[in-house]
Amino acid sequence: MKVDVLLGLQWGDEGKGKVVDVLTPRYDAVARFQGGPNAGHTLEFEGKKYVLRSIPSGIFQHGQINIIGNGVVLDPVLFAEEARALEASGVDLKKVLKISRKAHLILPTHRLLDAANERAKGGAKIGTTGKGIGPTYTDKVSRNGLRLGDIDLDFDTRYAAARDRHLRQLEQMGDAADMEALRQAEVKFMEAIDYIRGYEIVDSEWLINDLLTQGKSVLCEGAQGTMLDVDFGSYPFVTSSNTVCAGACSGLGVAPNRIGDVFGIFKAYCTRVGSGPFPTELHDETGKRIRDLGHEYGAVTGRERRCGWIDLVALRYAIMINGVTKLIMMKSDVLDDFDTIKACVGYEIDGKVTDRFPYSIDDEAAIKPVYEELPGWKTDMTKMRSEQEFPQEFSDYLAFLECKLGVPIAIVSIGPDREQTILR
Ligand code: GDP
Ligand code: IMO
Ligand code: MG
């Protein structure tokens, strides 16, 4: 058996949570492979809305195993908060969720370092989610991290050593910690570690490979998006993990030849939270209109998302890097009332037009997006249930995108609810 991977092709918040929930009934297991509580994955069904941060979006369907893989960084306190809320709403989480003992832990001082790093960068700050993601992955790669499996191995001593190292780093940065606040955070941290002991902590690479050997199917759920990938995104304005398909191999222990379908998910337009370049960003009324109609505010931080037209140069690059086999287009309903819709088909740089995503897009003034303008469909599509109901202009828009991107669009989402999903 193969594993399928679903991941974001833009700057995150494409709607991954919604689609993972929709696709889950086809699979035996759902697994997160990178990122941490910087993610906010929204699901809506039966009039209720849930935002998941570290827990896979497969938990609301029935019978699947959900796995937090080794590539994820776990904040015990935020995890406990999220998990307890789900338990209170009736999800039997301890039964369906398994967590890798190789997942790295986000410590209270990682969050302090995240904030200190941002302050030190001043005007060049990344605009991180402040969840300690960067410092935790830094410790992982520099071989200083603490893993979930360490909680049974002289944990207090190891924890204290890591904390003291972080405090020294903070002091060197001129950002000494508030020790009383830290002490309180540590009490909550240790309490949350105890709560996690109630979950099955596993060797998730064995679990997943055993499932595959038994003929079971697995869906891997990405977080963030390809343009936030630490290698291929708009570096340094990226997150600290590999959000691309290869991240599913290293973040779960799945061999590359086990990868089956790669679902690449994108919005009918484009958004970005935090700082960093965004060639098709709209600073005008149209950008504001997209933000209002699409409710483009962060699921976790509530931050305003920057909005712009769809960028096919970046999308083609993302499709290549990930080996996307099927596309999923989200939030087309947000454009239901537009007279015309623009799509960026090239970048004009120094008078030359290219459709190749360049090394750097930092100098936004030097990149002029080249647009094609298409007629809008001017139809409320939110209650449609099959592609036969699509207006002609919308079908033409899909055909245009498929032609430019070279991959079929298999799913179209026309609203936030589980039911507002059309499989083609
Ligand atoms: P994720 O991080 O990729 O899971 O995406 P988020 O949950 O952060 O952001 C997607 C937002 O769009 C959420 O508020 C969803 O409820 C909402 N959403 C998802 N699909 C659609 C859609 O097709 N139409 C509209 N209008 N909203 C959608
Ligand atoms: P989901 O999974 C959108 C952005 C932050 C910042 C940069 C680095 O919901 O799509 P970090 O805290 O990771 O060090 O921040 O990445 N970012 C996201 N943007 N959606 C996300 O997740 C994001 N996770 C991180 O805004 O620009
Ligand atoms: Mg999100």
Side-chain angles (χ1 to χ4, degrees):
M1 282 298 280
K2 301 258 184 192
V3 306
D4 293 342
V5 183
L6 183 144
L7 43 77
L9 298 180
Q10 296 166 321
W11 276 281
D13 302 328
E14 295 89 349
K16 298 173 290 291
K18 173 188 159 161
V19 179
V20 168
D21 170 62
V22 168
L23 293 179
T24 293
R26 299 186 190 176
Y27 296 89
D28 298 300
V30 178
R32 275 275 305 266
F33 57 89
Q34 46 69 234
N38 48 348
H41 295 180
T42 314
L43 288 75
E44 284 189 43
F45 55 90
E46 294 160 11
K48 282 188 247 120
K49 180 171 163 172
Y50 300 89
V51 179
L52 299 174
R53 302 163 80 171
S54 302
I55 295 172
S57 301
I59 49 156
F60 293 106
Q61 304 283 3
H62 299 289
Q64 286 77 14
I65 301 172
N66 283 263
I67 301 163
I68 295 179
N70 57 279
V72 172
V73 289
L74 197 68
D75 181 325
V77 177
L78 294 181
F79 170 80
E81 218 172 74
E82 183 181 346
R84 284 184 168 128
L86 289 167
E87 287 186 305
S89 69
V91 179
D92 192 356
L93 203 61
K94 293 202 173 84
K95 192 166 150 224
V96 299
L97 184 69
K98 324 244 179 243
I99 314 174
S100 168
R101 53 167 57 90
K102 292 197 172 79
H104 277 249
L105 295 173
I106 302 177
L107 312 184
T109 37
H110 280 132
R111 289 177 72 141
L112 298 180
L113 282 167
D114 194 355
N117 286 337
E118 285 283 85
R119 271 194 289 275
K121 278 180 179 273
K125 71 172 186 187
I126 311 284
T128 71
T129 58
K131 300 288 183 284
I133 304 296
T136 307
Y137 278 114
T138 301
D139 272 357
K140 172 178 176 173
V141 175
S142 66
R143 298 158 292 183
N144 285 306
L146 287 183
R147 302 186 292 178
L148 185 54
D150 295 338
I151 64 175
D152 293 322
L153 303 171
D154 196 13
F155 187 62
D156 289 347
T157 313
R158 285 168 181 239
Y159 171 81
R163 177 203 53 205
D164 291 347
R165 190 167 41 79
H166 294 159
L167 289 175
R168 285 194 299 277
Q169 286 171 4
L170 286 163
E171 217 168 282
Q172 279 163 12
M173 294 176 82
D175 228 322
D178 171 345
M179 292 308 287
E180 179 49 28
L182 177 59
R183 199 191 58 75
Q184 286 173 23
E186 286 180 323
V187 171
K188 281 172 85 178
F189 178 85
M190 291 303 174
E191 186 268 337
I193 290 284
D194 274 342
Y195 172 77
I196 295 182
R197 288 181 200 278
Y199 284 80
E200 213 178 317
I201 299 173
V202 299
D203 294 310
S204 60
E205 64 276 35
W206 284 108
L207 172 63
I208 290 179
N209 283 286
D210 285 348
L211 284 169
L212 296 174
T213 306
Q214 292 158 22
K216 302 267 169 64
S217 55
V218 180
L219 177 63
C220 308
E221 173 180 4
Q224 291 78 52
T226 301
M227 303 318 291
L228 289 171
D229 179 88
V230 67
D231 280 280
F232 299 104
S234 47
Y235 191 88
F237 299 98
V238 295
T239 191
S240 297
S241 62
N242 279 119
T243 62
V244 296
C245 187
C249 297
S250 59
L252 289 171
V254 167
N257 63 358
R258 288 285 204 174
I259 303 287
D261 266 324
V262 181
F263 295 102
I265 177 164
F266 66 99
K267 290 182 200 184
Y269 47 94
C270 206
T271 64
R272 163 159 218 178
V273 217
S275 6
F278 178 2
T280 62
E281 182 169 11
L282 292 165
H283 299 280
D284 57 7
E285 275 306 304
T286 308
K288 192 173 169 307
R289 193 170 163 213
I290 294 176
R291 180 178 312 123
D292 289 343
L293 291 169
H295 305 292
E296 293 296 354
Y297 298 90
V300 172
T301 57
R303 287 185 294 175
E304 229 175 52
R305 293 181 187 144
R306 300 153 64 193
C307 297
W309 293 118
I310 195 166
D311 183 341
L312 302 183
V313 178
L315 267 182
R316 279 161 54 100
Y317 182 68
I319 288 168
M320 173 184 81
I321 298 292
N322 291 302
V324 172
T325 60
K326 291 187 175 127
L327 287 167
I328 302 176
M329 185 169 81
M330 309 300 288
K331 301 192 92 159
S332 56
D333 54 296
V334 173
L335 304 180
D336 274 357
D337 200 30
F338 280 57
D339 293 330
T340 58
I341 286 149
K342 287 191 189 176
C344 168
V345 292
Y347 291 164
E348 188 185 317
I349 304 170
D350 294 333
K352 285 202 200 89
V353 175
T354 177
D355 62 1
R356 291 212 158 193
F357 193 75
Y359 169 71
S360 165
I361 54 170
D362 283 354
D363 185 359
E364 290 180 276
I367 296 181
K368 207 171 131 225
V370 179
Y371 289 110
E372 275 191 35
E373 194 159 1
L374 296 110
W377 43 93
K378 305 284 282 181
T379 310
D380 177 358
M381 289 182 54
T382 55
K383 294 187 182 60
M384 293 185 179
R385 290 296 175 266
S386 82
E387 94 171 289
Q388 281 69 42
E389 297 171 70
F390 287 172
Q392 188 57 47
E393 291 83 357
F394 185 72
S395 300
D396 291 347
Y397 179 59
L398 292 180
F400 163 81
L401 291 177
E402 287 181 330
C403 170
K404 292 285 178 197
L405 299 172
V407 182
I409 299 175
I411 300 175
V412 174
S413 174
I414 50 168
D417 194 88
R418 202 188 252 177
E419 303 293 322
Q420 292 171 300
T421 316
I422 296 180
L423 310 179
R424 302 174 77 211

